[in-house]
Amino acid sequence: MSDLLEREEQPTRAWVFHPELTSDRDRRDPGPALEEAVALAAALPHLDVVGADIVRLPTPHPGKLFGKGKLKELGDKLHAAEIDLVLIDGPVSPVQQRNLEKEWKVKILDRTGLILEIFSDRARTREGVLQVEMAALSYQRTRLVRAWTHLERQRGGLGFVGGPGETQIEADRRAIDDHLNRLRKQLSKVVKTRELHRAARAKVPFPIVALVGYTNAGKSTLFNRMTGAKVLAKDMLFATLDPTMRQIELPALGKTPAQGGGRKVILSDTVGFISNLPTQLVAAFRATLEEVLAADLILHVRDISHDSTDEQARDVETIMAELGVSEDTPQLEVWNKIDLLDPDAQDARRHEAARNDSVVAISALTGEGFDDLVNAIDTALGAPRQTETMTLPFSEGRKRAWLFDKGIVEAEEPGDDGWVLTVTWTEREAADFAAL
């Protein structure tokens, strides 16, 4: 596949097929699904999407995905357009992929393979590269199913061991497994470093606010507006992969800048989600997405102007549940791109958001609704916390137990007059402690 994408002289000519299984009553509208598949293909460099079609199927053919007649019809179309690569927006088994490539004489990529190619092209940090490589190898391992005849041949036994040797397919799988083990060891070192950074942030009394959402929902644009950073923000699926974190100060509510700033928070931008996200990628990027698990507040950014915004929201919620995000973690829905709606739809969405305390309608591009978002974040995080150091006499065991029970003790050491405690708490917790 890489040789197809690296030919800068002449872009690879590609065609996108979205199989619509008519027997599936829960299937989605094929129109937006095909548009998303074309957008995914457009995210790859040196690729020219010549055409795209929705292919209606009662049931997928086990050997070739499409029936005999449809197979010839599509093959003639591909041959006439001189297509090099066919992208099938759905799962394709190794056997189906091999048979389709032999039938059409073109390279085949399914949805998982396409997303892996995009991630491979976009990963920038060491951790991102390792995660993508692990996911790609896990995917390739399942493709070693007699794709070539040489994989079935046996190799001779080793040393003094007689009898039949291993087949080439077994040797290839073993090589992939060995490489995966090496990558896991390398990634574990990176993960340990990330855990140290996370532990260091935990000592800083700033809440973490994580941005999550469907890819291209506008998370990076919102992140840039809130932080003043210059994270890549483009109208493109998976424009950014690697997580970015910034410490920011929210504008103080009801205060002028001269009266002092507002609450300090750590804002985290994460990789975008997508429907049918490959399981290999969910597993590989779990370490990166653990920032979401540690968040004090999750901002679920939605492209409210998209035709499939409700389905996209359900996809995000499903993936967050798979990651193990606690239902107790506060969440705000941020309805982004409201400026792209027509005036009547904008008014309807604004009124709908105004009636729900956990929803804010904004435009990250124009800044509309930004003040409302800041207010909502401040309210959702609750009262601000502050760090203090106190000396508690050794006789005050009940008060010491109360502090530890509340989980607000950052550090403790014995002193001459009692325990020297460093606590991070709200004004209300301080008042409750004083009343003991």
Side-chain angles (χ1 to χ4, degrees), residues 234-291:
K234 297 179 66 177
D235 183 15
M236 178 188 292
L237 301 186
F238 298 119
T240 52
L241 287 186
D242 299 308
T244 309
M245 306 190 79
R246 293 286 188 278
Q247 178 184 314
I248 65 171
E249 186 172 290
L250 297 177
L253 303 182
K255 291 184 180 180
T256 65
Q259 294 174 314
R263 180 202 302 267
K264 291 182 178 179
V265 303
I266 295 175
L267 193 65
S268 173
D269 186 18
T270 60
V271 62
F273 299 155
I274 197 169
S275 63
N276 301 319
L277 187 67
T279 55
Q280 295 96 334
L281 278 178
V282 174
F285 275 78
R286 186 175 295 275
T288 302
L289 294 170
E290 280 177 359
E291 302 296 350

Side-chain angles (χ1 to χ4, degrees), residues 86-156:
V86 172
L87 305 169
I88 297 179
D89 185 35
V92 178
S93 72
V95 172
Q96 290 170 338
Q97 178 179 343
R98 178 196 62 181
N99 290 337
L100 287 173
E101 288 179 345
K102 289 175 62 177
E103 182 78 25
W104 289 340
K105 304 296 189 294
V106 296
K107 175 68 180 177
I108 302 291
L109 265 187
D110 65 357
R111 184 181 178 88
T112 297
L114 174 59
I115 294 175
L116 285 171
E117 287 283 352
I118 296 172
F119 273 51
S120 178
D121 181 65
R122 300 284 168 75
R124 292 293 178 266
T125 65
R126 176 62 176 161
E127 182 179 15
V129 171
L130 287 173
Q131 289 169 328
V132 171
E133 191 173 356
M134 281 184 61
L137 284 172
S138 299
Y139 173 74
Q140 290 171 12
R141 192 183 188 281
T142 66
R143 303 279 115 178
L144 297 179
V145 183
R146 295 176 181 164
W148 299 276
T149 55
H150 79 277
L151 295 179
E152 302 170 16
R153 297 174 188 162
Q154 286 188 335
R155 297 155 55 107

Side-chain angles (χ1 to χ4, degrees), residues 11-220:
T12 300
R13 295 173 62 82
W15 201 286
V16 179
F17 290 133
H18 172 75
E20 182 191 8
L21 299 181
T22 56
S23 57
D24 183 6
R25 295 183 178 180
D26 297 326
R27 68 184 184 278
R28 298 186 176 184
D29 185 349
L34 181 64
E35 290 177 8
E36 180 179 277
V38 172
L40 278 172
L44 279 176
H46 314 306
L47 200 66
D48 181 16
V49 180
V50 177
D53 288 308
I54 297 169
V55 184
R56 293 171 60 86
L57 294 173
T59 56
H61 188 280
K64 296 185 177 180
L65 186 61
F66 306 106
K68 186 175 180 180
K70 182 62 68 175
L71 200 65
K72 185 178 185 310
E73 175 190 336
L74 299 178
D76 292 342
K77 180 182 294 187
L78 297 174
H79 181 72
E82 299 181 347
I83 298 301
D84 305 306
L85 172 68
V86 172
L87 305 169
I88 297 179
D89 185 35
V92 178
S93 72
V95 172
Q96 290 170 338
Q97 178 179 343
R98 178 196 62 181
N99 290 337
L100 287 173
E101 288 179 345
K102 289 175 62 177
E103 182 78 25
W104 289 340
K105 304 296 189 294
V106 296
K107 175 68 180 177
I108 302 291
L109 265 187
D110 65 357
R111 184 181 178 88
T112 297
L114 174 59
I115 294 175
L116 285 171
E117 287 283 352
I118 296 172
F119 273 51
S120 178
D121 181 65
R122 300 284 168 75
R124 292 293 178 266
T125 65
R126 176 62 176 161
E127 182 179 15
V129 171
L130 287 173
Q131 289 169 328
V132 171
E133 191 173 356
M134 281 184 61
L137 284 172
S138 299
Y139 173 74
Q140 290 171 12
R141 192 183 188 281
T142 66
R143 303 279 115 178
L144 297 179
V145 183
R146 295 176 181 164
W148 299 276
T149 55
H150 79 277
L151 295 179
E152 302 170 16
R153 297 174 188 162
Q154 286 188 335
R155 297 155 55 107
L158 299 176
F160 297 102
V161 180
E166 63 182 354
T167 61
Q168 182 65 47
I169 190 172
E170 291 168 343
D172 289 353
R173 279 184 178 152
R174 181 165 47 79
I176 288 179
D177 289 340
D178 290 344
H179 195 179
L180 279 171
N181 288 332
R182 289 194 296 271
L183 289 175
R184 289 191 185 100
K185 291 177 181 177
Q186 294 177 49
L187 186 59
S188 66
K189 296 178 181 177
V190 181
V191 170
K192 286 179 181 177
T193 303
R194 182 177 290 279
E195 288 174 351
L196 291 174
H197 292 167
R198 189 178 295 119
R201 285 194 299 271
K203 295 179 180 179
V204 180
F206 302 149
I208 296 176
V209 179
L211 300 177
V212 302
Y214 207 81
T215 182
N216 211 31
K219 297 184 303 302
S220 295

